[in-house]
Amino acid sequence: MYQTSYEAALQDLIDHLVRLPAVGPKGAQRIAYYLLEAEREDVEGLAASLLAVKDKLTVCEVCFNTAQGDRCRICRDDSRDPHVLCVVEEPKDVIAIERTREYTGRYHVLGGVLDPMRGIGPEQLHIKDLYSRLADGSVQEIILATDPNTEGEATAAYLGRQLATIGVSVTRLASGLPMGGDLELADEVTLGRAFVGRRRIDE
Amino acid sequence: MYQTSYEAALQDLIDHLVRLPAVGPKGAQRIAYYLLEAEREDVEGLAASLLAVKDKLTVCEVCFNTAQGDRCRICRDDSRDPHVLCVVEEPKDVIAIERTREYTGRYHVLGGVLDPMRGIGPEQLHIKDLYSRLADGSVQEIILATDPNTEGEATAAYLGRQLATIGVSVTRLASGLPMGGDLELADEVTLGRAFVGRRRIDE
């Protein structure tokens, strides 16, 4: 750290802020000066909300999504279809899928992806818990919604093989051109997937 | 606000974070999930540093810079030249100038710029306090370092006229092409200033 002219308390706040993701040194300075000028009440509210996240949030005992209490909002919601299970890597993925408003089933959060190089095998993920949820036979379809990258694809392939023996319908999210994108700007893997997955326009 | 699937405590934190400058909705979500996974100790440290800024920081009674205690770091530093005063708009400007390591004098923070449209006249800024600091005759040069925009220029022009009657040397920071920039990309005002302020290369 080079010598700066910030007062100690300001420097300390900036040091904490730069550690956050998506906040650079300039952003940290802007935020720090903003808070310096902000109403005391607002700063206290922010500080309280930070601590509340640590105090109140846990992991859902059913699906491993983020939860406030024993079960997450989705597992507590009786209107959600218990026959469809969407398997995702992280709680953030649940939020992203919920935003589409296309899905009314339930989730299962793996807590990561298979990554042998980093020592992450099936035992390090919530895969056994997934099989337990299938035991009573009520789940009819499992949608594998891991990320469309090397690890995500490998994890989906692994789960696909395992689940094939159970006799449940297993699907994978479609790969293809992103909406609003330019065909000429798509990478070759995405464009290749779009060809392989092409559909009749009368479908 | 549209309905989301965040648990209440997470939603509350994200709501607080999006109000910060330089943090968008995506950034707020990234920060919130990062904090959810972070060590409790680190989150407590961040919360404490937020409150410390409100508890410990004040305004320097001499120059109106941000201070921890009665006087800021620069006013407390006896090695700083008391004969030169650099007049800036905000405490942030002090930090920016200190980073250059080109300046060893003292500062005077106006707390803004003249802006008649928003009802900000000389009385709303720390201008009287500036004159008080000049009373004992120890200041020999005043550098006007307000921003090179309409309000900053107008404020510098106003102060220049006022200070001319006191018999102190008044200078303004040079305007011209930014270092590392492209001449062809400079706006016409900046390029015009660079011509007006041109210097002999043997100077």
Side-chain angles (χ1 to χ4, degrees):
Chain A
M1 258 315 182
Y2 62 97
Q3 173 71 31
T4 65
S5 322
Y6 293 117
E7 298 293 329
L10 200 56
Q11 181 67 60
D12 184 51
L13 175 58
I14 291 172
D15 289 345
H16 273 95
L17 291 171
V18 280
R19 280 183 226 149
L20 299 177
V23 178
K26 293 249 171 183
Q29 184 188 305
R30 274 185 70 191
I31 295 171
Y33 276 106
Y34 167 85
L35 293 169
L36 189 58
E37 304 290 322
E39 293 298 321
R40 197 191 160 80
E41 205 183 308
D42 293 338
V43 179
E44 282 172 353
L46 172 59
S49 71
L50 286 165
L51 297 173
V53 157
K54 296 311 274 186
D55 288 334
K56 296 187 182 163
L57 296 184
T58 55
V59 169
C60 176
E61 60 182 20
V62 177
C63 77
F64 301 94
N65 188 11
T66 305
Q68 194 157 343
D70 294 337
R71 294 185 176 209
C72 75
R73 287 169 69 121
I74 292 160
C75 287
R76 287 197 310 265
D77 182 351
D78 289 335
S79 72
R80 304 291 299 226
D81 185 351
H83 304 108
V84 191
L85 219 55
C86 181
V87 176
V88 297
E89 295 178 17
E90 305 287 350
K92 293 181 241 219
D93 301 322
V94 172
I95 300 294
I97 292 170
E98 287 298 293
R99 282 213 189 92
T100 68
R101 296 163 186 269
E102 293 285 344
Y103 182 65
T104 56
R106 294 169 183 261
Y107 292 92
H108 190 82
V109 179
L110 294 175
V113 274
L114 294 177
D115 193 348
M117 300 287 282
R118 297 188 186 171
I120 299 172
E123 309 74 38
Q124 278 70 49
L125 304 176
H126 302 300
I127 289 182
K128 253 188 197 158
D129 312 274
L130 172 61
Y131 300 150
S132 308
R133 292 181 72 183
L134 305 178
D136 69 357
S138 64
V139 174
Q140 288 154 12
E141 181 182 356
I142 294 179
I143 302 169
L144 299 174
T146 51
D147 286 345
N149 56 26
T150 311
E151 291 81 12
E153 291 285 306
T155 306
Y158 170 85
L159 289 174
R161 281 192 305 273
Q162 300 284 314
L163 297 168
T165 62
I166 302 181
V168 63
S169 163
V170 181
T171 58
R172 177 101 179 97
L173 290 187
S175 287
L177 296 174
M179 293 301 291
D182 257 332
L183 190 142
E184 69 194 62
L185 299 178
D187 65 283
E188 65 271 25
V189 178
T190 300
L191 195 51
R193 288 293 180 95
F195 267 92
V196 171
R198 70 192 182 276
R199 307 198 310 171
R200 296 180 70 96
I201 56 172
D202 55 0
E203 257 180 20
Chain B
M1 254 321 177
Y2 62 96
Q3 171 73 28
T4 65
S5 324
Y6 291 117
E7 298 293 330
L10 200 56
Q11 182 67 61
D12 184 52
L13 175 57
I14 290 172
D15 289 346
H16 273 96
L17 291 172
V18 280
R19 281 183 225 148
L20 300 176
V23 178
K26 292 251 171 182
Q29 183 188 306
R30 273 186 70 191
I31 295 170
Y33 276 106
Y34 168 84
L35 293 170
L36 188 59
E37 303 289 323
E39 294 295 322
R40 200 193 155 80
E41 203 183 310
D42 292 340
V43 179
E44 282 174 352
L46 171 58
S49 71
L50 286 164
L51 297 172
V53 157
K54 296 311 276 185
D55 288 334
K56 295 188 181 164
L57 295 184
T58 55
V59 169
C60 176
E61 61 181 21
V62 177
C63 77
F64 302 93
N65 188 9
T66 305
Q68 192 158 343
D70 295 336
R71 296 185 174 208
C72 75
R73 286 169 70 120
I74 292 160
C75 288
R76 287 197 309 266
D77 181 353
D78 290 334
S79 72
R80 304 292 299 227
D81 186 351
H83 304 108
V84 191
L85 220 54
C86 180
V87 177
V88 296
E89 295 177 18
E90 303 289 350
K92 292 181 243 222
D93 301 322
V94 173
I95 300 293
I97 294 171
E98 286 297 293
R99 281 213 190 94
T100 68
R101 297 163 185 266
E102 294 283 344
Y103 182 65
T104 56
R106 292 167 185 263
Y107 291 91
H108 191 81
V109 179
L110 294 175
V113 273
L114 295 177
D115 193 349
M117 301 287 281
R118 296 189 187 170
I120 299 172
E123 309 74 37
Q124 277 70 47
L125 303 176
H126 302 300
I127 289 181
K128 252 189 196 159
D129 312 274
L130 172 62
Y131 300 150
S132 307
R133 292 182 71 181
L134 305 177
D136 70 358
S138 65
V139 174
Q140 289 155 13
E141 182 181 356
I142 294 179
I143 302 169
L144 299 174
T146 50
D147 287 345
N149 56 25
T150 313
E151 291 81 13
E153 291 285 305
T155 305
Y158 170 85
L159 288 173
R161 282 193 305 274
Q162 299 285 314
L163 296 168
T165 61
I166 301 180
V168 63
S169 164
V170 181
T171 57
R172 177 103 177 96
L173 289 188
S175 286
L177 296 173
M179 294 301 291
D182 255 334
L183 190 141
E184 69 193 64
L185 299 178
D187 65 284
E188 63 271 26
V189 179
T190 300
L191 196 52
R193 287 295 179 93
F195 267 93
V196 171
R198 68 190 183 279
R199 308 196 309 170
R200 296 179 69 95
I201 54 170
D202 54 1
E203 255 178 19

